[in-house]
Amino acid sequence: MRNVIGLNEDWRFVREDAGLPEELPLEWPVVSLPHTWNAVDGHDGKGNYYRGKCWYAKSFQTPKQPLPGGRVYVEILAAGQQATVYVNGTEVTYHEGGYSIFRADITDQCKEDGDNLLVVACNNENKSSVYPQAADFTFYGGLYRGVNLISVPDAHFDLGYYGGPGLQVTPKPCEDGGAVFELVSWVKNTDENFTVQYFIYDDKGNEVASAVRPADQTKVTVYVPDANKWDIDNPCLYTVTALLQRRNEVYDEVIVRAGVRSFSCDPEKGFCINGEWTPLRGVSRHQDQLYKGNALTRLDHYRDACIIKELGANTIRLAHYQHSQDFYDACDDLGFIVWAEIPFISVMNQDPAAHQNCISQMKELIIQNYNHPSICFWGVSNEILIGGISEQLVENHKELNALCKELDPTRLTTIAHVSMTPLDSPVHGITDVESYNHYFGWYGGKMEDNGPWLDHFHETYPQICLGLSEYGCEGIVTYHGPNPACKDYSEEYQALYHEHMAKVLDERPWIWSSHVWNMFDFGCAARNEGGVSGRNNKGLMTIDRATRKDSYYVYQAYWSKEPMVHVCGRRYAQRAGETTQIKVYSNQPQVELYLNGKLVGTQSGGRVFAFETALEDGFNIVTAVAGDVKDSITLEKVEKEPAIYVLPEVNERAEGVANWFKLAGDLDLKAPMEFPEGKYSVKDTMEEISKCQEAMDVVVKAVKLATNMLISPGLGMWDMLKSSTPERMCNMAGGTMPEGFLESLNAQLIKIDKK
């Protein structure tokens, strides 16, 4: 029988390219898996993180098999981003891609007796053939999901097919209330004496169906009467066991879970599961946590999933790569609809090997995760037009979509467009459904632009199922004020933004899915924004999972079925002024607000309740009552609010924008722009502009004013933006900057000679 042995303790590790050791290097520090060498510097705000080759080493005993001819595999659950595996000095496999399972047969390299030396060289340096090439998150290195040894008899379920389980289950509901389970498995080294036995058990452990097939013809369809469906509110799971048997002896066993469900999308009605039209409303999730990086335990993953469930979300977009099996399992258990995708993001590398890496990562994603009922959508790319468009890019997308359909015709394909993707772009119509990443109200335009844009697209292309794959804004819980505004980074503006967006989505059930960017703040070593470095702070919750921002409760009020009430502004604890506004979020029909035990008022209606009141001198107890649920905070009335409540850069940026146009002189900014030969302009790429320090200084200042972000060669965001032009970047920023900003930038650049 199969024996899985965890190899997660007592590894030796060195954070340098020390080379392949001949014996266990006892002088290297001891670490346990999961482990990443970027657990701290991947988001500590110092502006850089270690990217290079590091080495892991461990000794192990060869597992003993009762049967002759047994095989031993090493299983790497993930290794960022490239990995070479050695056993006793011999290379046994090399893998490109930092997010998927891969295995190697190491039988011939193992000693019959004594210790074996297992060495893994992980490397998170950029490589032209490996995605992601450039993106707005940290590319953590390391053995961050663990390592196993798998010992099997010579005859066994296949362990070498793209890291998959060797068993594929396709449940399909029938009109009579039952379901058919289409089963197929892949076996190795069998003969006519072997059979595969299948058993299906319900969620209570009762056997409900079975079948037996010869080992060379394993495919079969099994009927389950009165099948319980897997649904968002009732995620019923069946267990399917496959036994590889030789006469009266079981040689190998594989167990997977599966769910019976049907689903579809319609441009006018949105998403449907098991015949019920159900708008998908949820979040995106990155896999890292504070000072753990992406080296999370199974418990960490389940806690994340439970926090999202408590929010009331029914869908999760797992960005921007394959996530842990532990998290997909949690989604199966809790009833989430999952969008799973590969890291084909931001920039397409022209290296043909890079496209093959896309294909390989898509195969791994689908084959390893086929049996998860939570997954309903395969994502082919994210914001890929940041790096420009080409015929090859379009063809690559068509090939990836066809591959998804070939490997899994049961699920739908999708894509996440960058906001500036034209409505008539050839990337439309490739996937089954589509979504846009829009940040109107943060990177460009106003939050009020979201609804009209969505309506216009829907009216123009009524045949396209449209979703909103990303939307959000930064919220840093230090910053507060009575008049929240875009780019002030305040918790209040983030909450105000999400109040608007929750309402926009609630009014448009035809939007098949929406995913807040992001559920949790996450590591992005290249960022330095809003006074917080090394993080993207758009999460509804902080990266340490300690603080739920007020915006979290906006969605709980809209989505949760559990009674809730939340008084906002608890961190805006010291307030000045004659009066102050107290906001309350609740999913109950009526809210009463009390100040120091006295009724301020009662409101009925929506999810957001705003009360105006005057605080008393000193400390005040504010209590909200909504049916059987209550919430309370303490506020202090002060003469002057703390200076820390306002980010200094907010005022500096406003002054900078006001002064920007003076640099353009007396130029008529409404006149058509000129692009004289031999001069820099807004049509040059950032990479070309970077060759001239004078031109680069101008553009860096412009980007800082437009986005409050610093870009420079060598910083992580540079790889994502270097192929873009200032013109394209300003267009992406939309209405954030005043009219004439792009023209004034061009006016400065055309004064500078190209060298």
Side-chain angles (χ1 to χ4, degrees):
M1 282 287 288
R2 176 176 302 206
N3 185 20
V4 179
I5 304 166
L7 293 182
N8 292 331
E9 303 300 324
D10 300 322
W11 285 78
R12 300 287 171 162
F13 167 76
V14 63
R15 194 169 106 153
E16 61 181 65
D17 188 2
L20 178 65
E22 295 182 359
E23 57 186 26
L24 186 66
L26 297 178
E27 70 277 11
W28 292 2
V30 177
V31 300
S32 296
L33 308 185
H35 177 266
T36 173
W37 61 76
N38 301 122
V40 176
D41 68 359
H43 48 239
D44 65 0
K46 294 183 178 179
N48 207 344
Y49 65 106
Y50 184 82
R51 297 189 68 178
K53 181 184 286 188
C54 299
W55 293 78
Y56 294 85
K58 180 177 176 57
S59 63
F60 69 92
Q61 295 278 325
T62 303
K64 300 300 182 183
Q65 267 284 348
L67 297 173
R71 312 302 296 177
V72 178
Y73 286 79
V74 61
E75 177 181 62
I76 311 291
L77 299 180
Q81 297 284 326
Q82 300 87 240
T84 307
V85 182
Y86 305 85
V87 173
N88 294 325
T90 300
E91 180 179 330
V92 294
T93 191
Y94 170 70
H95 183 262
E96 293 187 339
Y99 307 99
S100 53
I101 299 168
F102 62 98
R103 306 187 184 107
D105 186 336
I106 61 173
T107 310
D108 296 339
Q109 286 73 41
C110 288
K111 301 174 184 178
E112 289 189 16
D113 296 297
D115 288 340
N116 299 283
L117 179 62
L118 172 62
V119 177
V120 184
C122 294
N123 192 339
N124 65 340
E125 290 177 306
N126 179 266
K127 187 174 183 181
S128 65
S129 61
V130 182
Y131 285 103
Q133 287 288 295
D136 187 19
F137 58 90
T138 297
F139 302 166
Y140 296 93
L143 293 174
Y144 66 93
R145 286 187 194 150
V147 174
N148 296 316
L149 284 183
I150 304 177
S151 172
V152 290
D154 183 44
H156 56 270
F157 290 104
D158 191 0
L159 289 162
Y161 184 55
Y162 289 97
L167 171 62
Q168 182 173 291
V169 181
T170 310
K172 297 179 179 179
C174 301
E175 292 184 1
D176 64 1
V180 293
F181 282 61
E182 297 175 358
L183 310 175
V184 62
S185 57
W186 293 268
V187 295
K188 303 279 287 185
N189 304 324
T190 59
D191 58 27
E192 68 276 4
N193 294 294
F194 284 88
T195 59
V196 175
Q197 295 191 65
Y198 298 109
F199 298 93
I200 300 177
Y201 303 92
D202 66 16
D203 59 343
K204 297 178 177 61
N206 301 311
E207 182 184 327
V208 293
S210 63
V212 180
R213 295 296 301 159
D216 61 347
Q217 300 176 36
T218 65
K219 191 172 184 179
V220 67
T221 298
V222 179
Y223 178 74
V224 175
D226 302 321
N228 292 318
K229 292 183 179 178
W230 184 95
D231 209 333
I232 291 168
D233 295 323
N234 181 35
C236 180
L237 291 165
Y238 286 85
T239 300
V240 181
T241 299
L243 300 179
L244 180 61
Q245 187 153 351
R246 185 181 187 275
R247 297 178 184 153
N248 285 2
E249 183 178 351
V250 174
Y251 269 50
D252 197 12
E253 179 183 51
V254 176
I255 301 172
V256 304
R257 299 189 305 169
V260 178
R261 82 280 191 268
S262 62
F263 62 91
S264 62
C265 284
D266 182 88
E268 293 296 331
K269 297 180 180 180
F271 179 77
C272 180
I273 182 165
N274 298 327
E276 297 290 332
W277 295 102
T278 307
L280 296 180
R281 299 293 179 260
V283 298
S284 295
R285 184 237 188 195
H286 268 296
Q287 64 181 353
D288 56 343
Q289 292 188 14
L290 185 67
Y291 305 140
K292 289 185 176 182
N294 57 358
L296 304 188
T297 65
R298 182 175 179 85
L299 181 58
D300 290 328
H301 288 294
Y302 266 78
R303 283 174 175 165
D304 273 7
C306 289
I307 290 169
I308 298 172
K309 191 68 175 181
E310 189 177 342
L311 178 71
N314 60 14
T315 180
I316 307 176
R317 180 182 175 212
L318 291 177
H320 289 294
Y321 38 75
Q322 183 170 328
H323 284 233
S324 168
Q325 289 297 313
D326 292 333
F327 199 82
Y328 294 121
D329 286 343
C331 292
D332 293 341
D333 287 335
L334 296 175
F336 289 112
I337 302 297
V338 169
W339 166 335
E341 65 191 34
I342 59 172
F344 188 26
I345 176 173
S346 304
V347 178
M348 186 190 82
N349 196 300
Q350 297 296 329
D351 185 348
H355 181 53
Q356 293 306 309
N357 182 250
C358 265
I359 291 173
S360 176
Q361 291 203 50
M362 184 64 81
K363 287 180 177 179
E364 290 174 331
L365 176 70
I366 295 176
I367 291 167
Q368 292 174 22
N369 297 288
Y370 183 94
N371 296 317
H372 289 290
S374 57
I375 299 175
C376 294
F377 301 92
W378 302 122
V380 298
S381 72
N382 175 76
E383 293 191 341
I384 200 65
L385 294 193
I386 286 178
I389 192 169
S390 65
E391 290 184 10
Q392 189 60 53
L393 181 143
V394 175
E395 290 304 311
N396 286 356
H397 276 74
K398 291 179 179 178
E399 185 175 349
L400 286 171
N401 189 73
L403 176 63
C404 292
K405 293 301 183 182
E406 176 188 348
L407 293 174
D408 182 8
T410 71
R411 290 181 172 93
L412 299 176
T413 56
T414 187
I415 186 172
H417 296 300
V418 68
S419 185
M420 61 187 178
T421 300
L423 298 190
D424 59 352
S425 172
V427 295
H428 291 299
I430 296 175
T431 55
D432 295 318
V433 298
E434 304 181 33
S435 281
Y436 263 82
N437 297 351
H438 279 316
Y439 291 91
F440 302 131
W442 187 248
Y443 290 128
K446 306 180 297 297
M447 67 175 77
E448 292 81 9
D449 295 336
N450 284 279
W453 191 98
L454 294 166
D455 292 338
H456 174 69
F457 186 100
H458 185 52
E459 292 167 3
T460 307
Y461 298 99
Q463 76 281 9
I464 294 179
C465 294
L466 178 65
L468 192 59
S469 38
E470 290 182 24
Y471 66 98
C473 66
E474 303 266 328
I476 297 172
V477 298
T478 306
Y479 308 130
H480 306 282
N483 301 302
C486 181
K487 287 290 182 179
D488 68 3
Y489 297 91
S490 69
E491 188 175 7
E492 283 72 32
Y493 180 76
Q494 187 191 41
L496 183 67
Y497 170 94
H498 284 294
E499 289 171 22
H500 179 78
M501 293 305 301
K503 187 172 186 294
V504 165
L505 294 165
D506 193 54
E507 294 170 346
R508 293 165 175 82
W510 48 265
I511 295 176
W512 70 268
S513 75
S514 64
H515 297 93
V516 176
W517 191 260
N518 197 278
M519 180 62 218
F520 307 104
D521 294 345
F522 59 91
C524 179
R527 276 186 174 257
N528 183 2
E529 188 175 358
V532 178
S533 301
R535 319 267 174 86
N536 187 312
N537 300 289
K538 295 185 183 69
L540 303 179
M541 196 169 182
T542 53
I543 191 173
D544 59 7
R545 279 47 171 180
T547 304
R548 302 181 187 200
K549 305 175 190 179
D550 282 340
S551 52
Y552 175 98
Y553 297 95
V554 173
Y555 292 105
Q556 197 174 60
Y558 270 89
W559 299 340
S560 178
K561 297 176 182 178
E562 296 296 322
M564 61 79 59
V565 64
H566 172 77
V567 182
C568 302
R570 62 199 60 213
R571 283 166 289 276
Y572 184 15
Q574 295 175 294
R575 304 191 186 189
E578 293 297 321
T579 62
T580 190
Q581 185 183 77
I582 307 292
K583 277 190 178 179
V584 178
Y585 301 146
S586 180
N587 56 8
Q588 300 302 289
Q590 181 174 289
V591 170
E592 298 171 344
L593 188 75
Y594 294 86
L595 180 67
N596 299 322
K598 300 175 183 178
L599 181 65
V600 173
T602 302
Q603 293 185 18
S604 302
R607 314 288 181 164
V608 180
F609 305 84
F611 299 85
E612 200 74 24
T613 188
L615 298 180
E616 298 176 6
D617 290 337
F619 290 97
N620 295 257
I621 305 297
V622 179
T623 304
V625 179
D628 294 330
V629 290
K630 301 177 182 180
D631 189 32
S632 180
I633 67 172
T634 299
L635 303 177
E636 182 186 10
K637 184 177 182 180
V638 295
E639 289 294 323
K640 184 178 181 181
E641 294 179 1
I644 193 63
Y645 281 2
V646 179
L647 176 68
E649 292 180 10
V650 172
N651 295 329
E652 292 171 7
R653 181 169 177 263
E655 294 173 3
V657 172
N659 293 329
W660 173 259
F661 293 98
K662 296 179 182 178
L663 298 174
D666 298 327
L667 180 71
D668 180 5
L669 296 179
K670 294 185 179 180
M673 285 190 289
E674 297 179 353
F675 308 99
E677 188 174 349
K679 304 285 187 178
Y680 286 100
S681 77
V682 294
K683 293 186 177 296
D684 289 307
T685 66
M686 294 298 297
E687 193 166 29
E688 180 69 22
I689 290 170
S690 69
K691 297 175 182 177
C692 173
Q693 190 60 51
E694 182 183 2
M696 188 64 184
D697 288 344
V698 172
V699 174
V700 167
K701 184 174 182 179
V703 172
K704 180 67 174 174
L705 288 173
T707 67
N708 206 30
M709 293 181 63
L710 181 66
I711 62 167
S712 176
L715 294 181
M717 297 291 286
W718 177 253
D719 289 335
M720 190 167 71
L721 297 175
K722 66 183 180 181
S723 60
S724 192
T725 67
E727 181 179 49
R728 189 185 304 160
M729 291 165 65
C730 283
N731 288 338
M732 186 164 55
T736 298
M737 300 307 298
E739 183 179 358
F741 184 80
L742 182 64
E743 290 81 358
S744 67
L745 173 57
N746 192 68
Q748 294 177 64
L749 288 174
I750 63 176
K751 297 176 182 177
I752 304 173
D753 293 325
K754 288 186 176 180
K755 299 177 181 179

